[in-house]
Amino acid sequence: GSQIKVLERVSSDGNKTMDLLGSLESLETNHLKDSYARCSHYVKVSEDHAARACLNLGSYNYLGFADDWQRTFGKDVKGSL
């Protein structure tokens, strides 16, 4: 589909290693929990994991780069910008 769910990760060592965030309850403060939960990209995938809804850019063909997009749907692309 056009969106994928990416499990949130956190690091305490400058991103040398990453751990799954888990639930929002694992965040240290209520401020962090609230601000994270209010974000439009937040999705809950289970009781144990928080995730981020992301645009699926995994396929160049999905984006139309395998086609001459100027000729086939250039007006639609430009109109959406």
Side-chain angles (χ1 to χ4, degrees):
S2 63
Q3 285 196 344
I4 57 174
K5 295 174 184 166
V6 178
L7 294 177
E8 286 290 342
R9 292 168 177 82
V10 293
S11 178
S12 60
D13 60 7
N15 293 333
K16 291 179 184 175
T17 60
M18 303 292 284
D19 295 310
L20 287 177
L21 172 62
S23 71
L24 294 187
E25 295 306 314
S26 63
L27 293 171
E28 294 177 6
T29 67
N30 285 334
H31 174 71
L32 286 173
K33 293 174 194 176
D34 293 341
S35 63
Y36 193 92
R38 280 191 224 127
C39 292
S40 61
H41 63 267
Y42 168 71
V43 291
K44 186 175 179 181
V45 293
S46 73
E47 291 298 320
D48 299 327
H49 293 99
R52 184 179 295 251
C54 298
L55 182 62
N56 183 4
L57 300 176
S59 170
Y60 285 107
N61 197 32
Y62 170 76
L63 296 173
F65 292 122
D67 190 10
D68 181 5
W69 67 273
Q70 290 280 5
R71 189 170 47 88
T72 55
F73 57 91
K75 287 182 182 178
D76 294 331
V77 170
K78 290 177 182 175
S80 70
L81 300 177

